[in-house]
Amino acid sequence: MKHFLTQEFNKVYNKEAENVYFSPGRVNLIGEHIDYNGGLVMPCAITFGTYLLVSPNNDGVFRFRSLNFDHKLDIPVQNNYSKTGEYWFNYPLGVIEYFLKDGHPVLGLDMLFYGDIPISSGLSSSASIEVVTAFALNSLMNSGYSKLDLVKLSQSVENNFIGVNCGIMDQFAVAFGENNKALMLNCDTLDYQAVDSNLGEYILAIINTNKPRKLAESKYNERVQECQAALTALQQELDINNLCDIDTDTFNKHSNLITDKVIYKRAKHVIEENDRVKLAAVALSQNNLDEFGSLMYASHNSLRDLYEVSGKELDAVAEYCKTDANVAGARMTGAGFGGCAIALVKESAFDSFSQKVIAYYTDKIGYAPSVYSSLIGNGVGELVAEGKKTKA
Ligand code: GLA
């Protein structure tokens, strides 16, 4: 891959790329719509991601090119930037803007991006491009940020430059991911543990519904507000800062404070899902994949019925999985409203699983999903030799 990309850089800029960086995408095993409520999530980095090839220039210009999109941007180095239209280059431009706002100079750069994460699939292509840019700038300009600083900066870009009020999970996962490990992240304290994700005879399947994700961002922001409303109602009696500061029992004792039925359902999902993550961590540590799988199905049902972010496409995948004895569990992953589901599938049965889920889904929905088997990979880093990462 690196060789192909360096050749492409040559073609575009007529010079060598000096550095190549890679940041993965992510899936979340369990703990959905939890990060902005200060609870526990369990994401892992995948092996699809975003490559950034870069070479400084003396022209005082930022040049943004992508092998995925035709739109390009040449913009002089200046003191601030704002979002332009809905183009892909807003993500790296936002990162530059945040470096400058923090008082870290950035000099002219020729950049070429390439991503193999399916766009709009809910596998965090946006966090991936933000973090790869932030990591590259930090290393090229010696800006002195820690990796956690880069995660927070990238989240700020998404919140304030792009306008999506996401939590910290995606940026954290793509920065700190580790081979064959899931990250148990407390989104309130940002303490985390990389836990062995020993899937035994199972592998992780990713099923992309290929549903266009219209309105996903506005509905996402609506859910964030609904959780805020639930928290405000509970704070009348409880001294808490986040919905995830309480468990299901405490919630049940005080839930009468929430009078709006919709807001009640949102809070119930969040608090029960947070409890499920704790159970899932125990199940994973005991290699009890049946239990882990049941928790995945329970999570999916809650996202469908209480949080209302699933949809007939994601539901069709989960429904099929329940009928297949080679699947331990399945659920939608990420924000929802389309995007991807994940399933724990017996490795020996992966091919037949793919065929059957594609047939079931196509029959129900009218077009085919894409099915991938994914490895759990490393977080952001510089690629120094073909396929090898350092400086992560
Ligand atoms: C998106 C957001 C994350 C998280 C998930 C839902 O991926 O970017 O911050 O809220 O949705 O769990």
Side-chain angles (χ1 to χ4, degrees):
M1 177 61 85
K2 192 185 170 204
H3 183 60
F4 162 73
L5 292 174
T6 48
Q7 281 179 336
E8 291 299 308
F9 188 93
N10 245 298
K11 278 192 217 157
V12 174
Y13 288 114
N14 216 2
K15 63 178 185 182
E16 299 290 320
E18 286 195 13
N19 303 82
V20 183
Y21 301 91
F22 174 79
S23 174
R26 67 94 190 89
V27 292
N28 186 18
L29 297 181
I30 194 158
E32 215 65 83
H33 287 278
I34 287 293
D35 58 351
Y36 52 87
N37 289 301
L40 295 167
V41 294
M42 205 190 282
C44 45
I46 54 177
T47 45
F48 303 111
T50 313
Y51 296 81
L52 167 55
L53 290 83
V54 62
S55 186
N57 64 48
N58 295 319
D59 316 332
V61 175
F62 296 122
R63 298 194 176 92
F64 300 90
R65 303 284 185 277
S66 162
L67 294 179
N68 301 88
F69 302 100
D70 289 336
H71 292 109
K72 53 188 184 180
L73 178 70
D74 287 357
I75 196 163
V77 174
Q78 58 198 43
N79 290 335
N80 54 55
Y81 297 100
S82 49
K83 188 179 166 198
T84 325
E86 294 302 321
Y87 299 115
W88 68 270
F89 47 70
N90 283 306
Y91 295 94
L93 188 63
V95 171
I96 292 178
E97 161 75 5
Y98 267 73
F99 269 64
L100 297 174
K101 260 172 79 165
D102 268 4
H104 294 288
V106 187
L107 306 177
L109 294 171
D110 295 333
M111 293 169 270
L112 178 67
F113 293 86
Y114 170 70
D116 58 6
I117 307 175
I119 305 292
S120 263
S121 61
L123 299 177
S124 289
S125 55
S126 50
S128 179
I129 190 170
E130 287 153 7
V131 169
V132 78
T133 309
F135 187 91
L137 294 184
N138 190 43
S139 139
L140 292 167
M141 306 292 155
N142 289 317
S143 313
Y145 287 110
S146 70
K147 213 199 277 189
L148 187 59
D149 293 334
L150 297 176
V151 165
K152 291 180 180 165
L153 183 145
S154 299
Q155 186 197 4
S156 301
V157 170
E158 185 87 34
N159 292 164
N160 306 318
F161 197 85
I162 303 294
V164 179
N165 292 324
C166 68
I168 201 161
M169 171 174 75
D170 301 346
Q171 288 79 8
F172 195 96
V174 307
F176 284 93
E178 285 180 35
N179 231 342
N180 291 326
K181 308 258 184 184
L183 305 181
M184 263 292 279
L185 169 66
N186 179 324
C187 298
D188 184 28
T189 61
L190 299 186
D191 289 337
Y192 83 102
Q193 263 178 293
V195 292
D196 276 334
S197 52
N198 181 1
L199 301 181
E201 58 185 330
Y202 290 94
I203 54 171
L204 186 65
I206 301 179
I207 304 97
N208 184 354
T209 60
N210 290 329
K211 178 189 177 187
R213 291 173 77 213
K214 292 199 195 98
L215 294 179
E217 291 181 2
S218 60
K219 288 199 184 152
Y220 182 91
N221 287 347
E222 187 182 291
R223 293 295 178 279
V224 176
Q225 279 167 13
E226 287 166 347
C227 289
Q228 186 55 48
L231 177 64
T232 306
L234 292 169
Q235 281 170 331
Q236 294 172 76
E237 279 176 14
L238 295 170
D239 182 18
I240 54 173
N241 297 320
N242 297 298
L243 281 184
C244 292
D245 291 349
I246 53 174
D247 60 11
T248 304
D249 283 350
T250 313
F251 176 65
N252 289 339
K253 285 187 198 127
H254 297 270
S255 61
N256 60 312
L257 292 168
I258 305 177
T259 49
D260 183 299
K261 279 200 185 108
V262 171
I263 304 290
Y264 167 80
K265 287 203 293 185
R266 306 299 189 243
K268 184 170 161 63
H269 162 75
V270 168
I271 290 156
E272 291 178 351
E273 177 81 351
N274 194 45
D275 285 352
R276 269 191 291 275
V277 180
K278 294 176 197 158
L279 297 174
V282 175
L284 195 61
S285 71
Q286 297 171 344
N287 297 335
N288 186 347
L289 292 179
D290 285 342
E291 170 68 5
F292 194 90
S294 308
L295 291 162
M296 289 172 80
Y297 284 131
S299 167
H300 183 87
N301 292 347
S302 177
L303 289 156
R304 180 190 65 203
D305 301 335
L306 297 177
Y307 218 66
E308 298 179 282
V309 293
S310 185
K312 64 181 191 313
E313 298 81 4
L314 289 162
D315 292 345
V317 176
E319 259 162 45
Y320 168 75
C321 288
K322 280 185 194 149
T323 68
D324 188 328
N326 292 312
V327 180
R331 57 183 290 276
M332 53 155 279
T333 191
F337 317 106
C340 287
I342 51 171
L344 293 181
V345 181
K346 281 202 182 132
E347 188 167 14
S348 56
F350 180 75
D351 290 342
S352 78
F353 164 80
S354 292
Q355 283 163 14
K356 288 189 203 150
V357 73
I358 289 172
Y360 182 93
Y361 183 95
T362 310
D363 183 49
K364 258 205 130 144
I365 305 297
Y367 53 85
S370 313
V371 181
Y372 322 96
S373 73
S374 175
L375 299 174
I376 298 182
N378 278 319
V380 68
E382 182 175 355
L383 299 184
V384 284
E386 186 73 53
K388 223 174 149 206
K389 249 174 268 173
T390 59
K391 293 198 193 172

